[in-house]
Amino acid sequence: MDTLSYKTISANKATVNKEWVVVDATDQSLGRICSKVAKLLRGKYKPNFTPHVDCGDNVIIINADKVVLTGNKWNDRIYLRYTGYPGGQREYTPASLKAKGEDRLFRKVVKGMLPKNRLGSKLLNNLHVYAGSEHDKALTPKPIDINSLK
């Protein structure tokens, strides 16, 4: 039989090329920007995507304080958490998360869009959120237009 053999190339930790990208969150909707950031962290935009390997990019979000939520979602949307004790259900809003720190809101939203396993925890460490337009990473990340991604 005279056929070509095709092999699926699976990425591993040694063959992955991770980049640093910077995303500007000015006047962007929170859920839409976070879903694209989650895909960037996961590596879904790369042709050598492998589901069980951290092949995504390191993402820096700047101007996180200028993100928008439509309507009255800053105060009406309620997130719940449970302490583990009787009567320990706590509720909080996006406005209260933003008051505690800009990165807390983004980390909460992006964490819900990543896998719920050890890989998802590793991927969340590749996210860096800053309130202003400056970041303290000593490298030059590639700016990316988040609206051009699908």
Side-chain angles (χ1 to χ4, degrees):
M1 195 161 155
D2 198 19
T3 61
L4 295 172
S5 85
Y6 295 99
K7 292 186 178 180
T8 302
I9 297 178
S10 188
N12 59 18
K13 192 180 277 190
T15 61
V16 169
N17 56 345
K18 295 175 73 71
E19 297 176 348
W20 285 83
V21 296
V22 63
V23 175
D24 190 6
T26 305
D27 297 330
Q28 298 285 331
S29 176
L30 178 68
R32 292 180 188 271
I33 192 171
C34 285
S35 65
K36 293 176 183 177
V37 165
K39 280 186 178 182
L40 281 170
L41 288 171
R42 188 87 199 274
K44 290 261 189 152
Y45 291 117
K46 293 188 174 186
N48 61 348
F49 168 69
T50 307
H52 64 279
V53 177
D54 178 9
C55 56
D57 296 329
N58 296 304
V59 179
I60 300 170
I61 299 177
I62 58 172
N63 294 322
D65 54 345
K66 297 177 183 166
V67 75
V68 296
L69 282 174
T70 58
N72 201 17
K73 291 180 191 162
W74 284 112
N75 297 316
D76 286 351
R77 173 163 289 167
I78 294 175
Y79 297 129
L80 296 174
R81 69 180 181 88
Y82 180 59
T83 64
Y85 290 96
Q89 182 170 325
R90 307 285 188 250
E91 58 183 39
Y92 51 96
T93 63
S96 65
L97 272 181
K98 188 176 177 184
K100 288 182 180 179
E102 299 300 326
D103 63 331
R104 293 203 182 189
L105 181 61
F106 275 89
R107 286 190 176 278
K108 164 112 180 90
V109 175
V110 171
K111 183 180 179 181
M113 299 178 186
L114 291 176
K116 278 65 172 179
N117 52 22
R118 285 178 293 192
L119 177 63
S121 301
K122 288 180 189 173
L123 293 175
L124 197 59
N125 291 332
N126 296 334
L127 177 66
H128 307 277
V129 183
Y130 297 98
S133 61
E134 297 296 321
H135 57 85
D136 64 355
K137 296 296 173 193
L139 40 95
T140 56
K142 177 178 73 169
I144 192 167
D145 181 23
I146 202 75
N147 293 327
S148 65
L149 299 175
K150 293 279 181 190

